[in-house]
Amino acid sequence: MTLLKRLVTPLAFTILSSSAIAAPTNAEVEALKAEFINSQTANGFDVAEITQFIDNAEYNQAVIDAMTKPWEAKPWHQYYPIFLTDKRLEKGLAFWNEHADTIAKAAKEFNVDPQIIVAIIGIETYYGGYMGNYPVKDALYTLGFHYPPRAKFFRSEFANLQSLVKEEQLDINSLKGSYAGAMGFGQFIPSSYRHYAVDFDNDGKRDLLNSKADAIGSVANYFHQHGWQKDQPVTLQLTLNKDLPDNLKVWAGERLHYKVADILSPEISLAKSIDLDVSQPAMLVKLEQADHDEYWLGLKNFYVITRYNRSPLYAMAVYQFSQELNQAYVTQ
């Protein structure tokens, strides 16, 4: 996931510059390495192979720089044109047509909408065109031992990488991915690869790096395992008749705590009226356009997309791209 995605812990939506982050001292890094070695021995590795695993990874300043300048820091009106393009739509339609049987099989088996599978792979890697050039081991090592804001999370992913390489017999030195250590067509971080990847082409291995079928099935499984509701709405645009009430807060990565009934009111209504269960969980999403703010009602499926990448901008881009894809596919 961009990933992410994501990817697995809530995004704080506060972007820190690299200069604002105090680098750990050498002593602190060594202490973290000792702690890592101790924890990995509990996972069945011996000290020698853990030490070799760490020593095989290198610090990469470019990873820190990329982490502190994510696309999700942009306002919506600058963010969405990066992803919602005619070329990506054409590529997505071609991908869907080429793999129609596999996508239909995955959608049916995992009870997800096919367009969401196609959209994710398109947003993440342009259908395999851009799968990342950062050595995964270096990216996760750098973030896990030299990026204090999320070091604990990325050390966990570094540990998962060691297990993943052993389980799937991967060549760690050839693994390339995003600056956050996400890999393959669907950009799965190591923990997601281990927990959600499936062998969808039945060749005896879960290969998200080379098998498009495995990637399709694994993305579908990821959404299924996180509670995707097939044929259900994802997000609905809102109309504000007055200013946003003081008691309502825009979603910022936390678990859903509002219900639809908490958000809709005489001041805030659906832009297009539909029958809706007002007792279901929901969130309030704000999109910054160039000259105004848009507000959307995010439902359970929108929240599921944010399990891939915690940014609401990412989730909205995936949703809108999925709608474009579906329209193009059914009318071709």
Side-chain angles (χ1 to χ4, degrees), residues 14-300:
T14 299
I15 307 303
L16 302 174
S17 68
S18 56
S19 61
I21 299 170
T25 65
N26 289 336
E28 289 171 333
V29 171
E30 291 305 314
L32 291 175
K33 289 181 179 180
E35 178 186 305
F36 181 85
I37 291 171
N38 184 59
S39 65
Q40 282 298 81
T41 57
N43 290 330
F45 296 96
D46 62 45
V47 173
E49 62 183 330
I50 303 167
T51 302
Q52 183 181 21
F53 181 73
I54 296 174
D55 291 345
N56 190 36
E58 298 179 355
Y59 175 84
N60 187 337
Q61 180 61 42
V63 168
I64 300 293
D65 295 340
M67 179 59 71
T68 56
K69 298 176 183 178
W71 285 337
E72 286 79 10
K74 298 177 182 292
W76 171 249
H77 65 90
Q78 293 178 7
Y79 180 85
Y80 79 83
I82 299 170
F83 300 101
L84 302 180
T85 66
D86 290 340
K87 287 185 177 180
R88 197 183 303 265
L89 181 60
E90 292 170 6
K91 190 82 170 177
L93 187 58
F95 182 88
W96 197 341
N97 285 326
E98 181 181 356
H99 303 284
D101 290 345
T102 303
I103 292 166
K105 177 186 174 185
K108 181 178 181 180
E109 182 171 328
F110 295 106
N111 202 35
V112 300
D113 298 276
Q115 64 268 24
I116 203 70
I117 304 170
V118 183
I120 283 288
I121 296 174
I123 294 291
E124 288 293 337
T125 63
Y126 199 70
Y127 303 101
Y130 307 106
M131 293 203 283
N133 292 314
Y134 294 89
V136 173
K137 60 182 175 59
D138 296 347
L140 294 176
Y141 167 78
T142 299
L143 295 170
F145 293 90
H146 299 273
Y147 184 69
R150 300 192 69 194
K152 183 177 180 180
F153 168 70
F154 284 108
R155 277 199 307 281
S156 175
E157 288 304 316
F158 191 57
N160 272 289
L161 177 64
Q162 186 173 18
S163 296
L164 176 67
V165 167
K166 184 176 183 179
E167 293 163 355
E168 304 295 335
Q169 298 182 348
L170 302 175
D171 177 8
I172 191 169
N173 294 315
S174 67
L175 288 179
K176 298 291 183 66
S178 74
Y179 62 81
M183 299 166 278
F185 289 95
Q187 293 290 275
F188 277 33
I189 54 174
S191 62
S192 294
Y193 197 132
R194 294 184 69 204
H195 295 137
Y196 304 111
V198 296
D199 174 16
F200 210 59
D201 58 12
N202 298 312
D203 68 349
K205 58 183 179 181
R206 306 185 303 170
D207 184 3
L208 304 188
L209 308 171
N210 303 292
S211 171
K212 294 177 183 177
D214 285 1
I216 290 166
S218 298
V219 169
N221 183 46
Y222 188 96
F223 274 77
H224 172 69
Q225 295 295 336
H226 284 83
W228 183 265
Q229 300 171 334
K230 190 175 186 292
D231 298 326
Q232 293 302 307
V234 176
T235 182
L236 301 166
Q237 190 166 2
L238 297 170
T239 297
L240 266 68
N241 301 314
K242 295 182 179 180
D243 292 337
L244 191 70
D246 292 337
N247 65 313
L248 275 183
K249 302 300 180 185
V250 172
W251 186 75
E254 70 278 7
R255 292 185 180 277
L256 298 185
H257 57 87
Y258 288 143
K259 298 185 186 311
V260 171
D262 297 323
I263 297 174
L264 298 184
S265 68
E267 290 80 26
I268 305 176
S269 59
L270 296 174
K272 294 182 180 180
S273 180
I274 66 167
D275 290 333
L276 200 62
D277 177 7
V278 297
S279 67
Q280 65 181 297
M283 68 176 79
L284 182 65
V285 176
K286 183 174 79 170
L287 302 180
E288 295 181 49
Q289 299 288 13
D291 57 357
H292 68 285
D293 291 336
E294 286 182 8
Y295 289 91
W296 291 70
L297 182 71
L299 301 172
K300 173 65 183 296

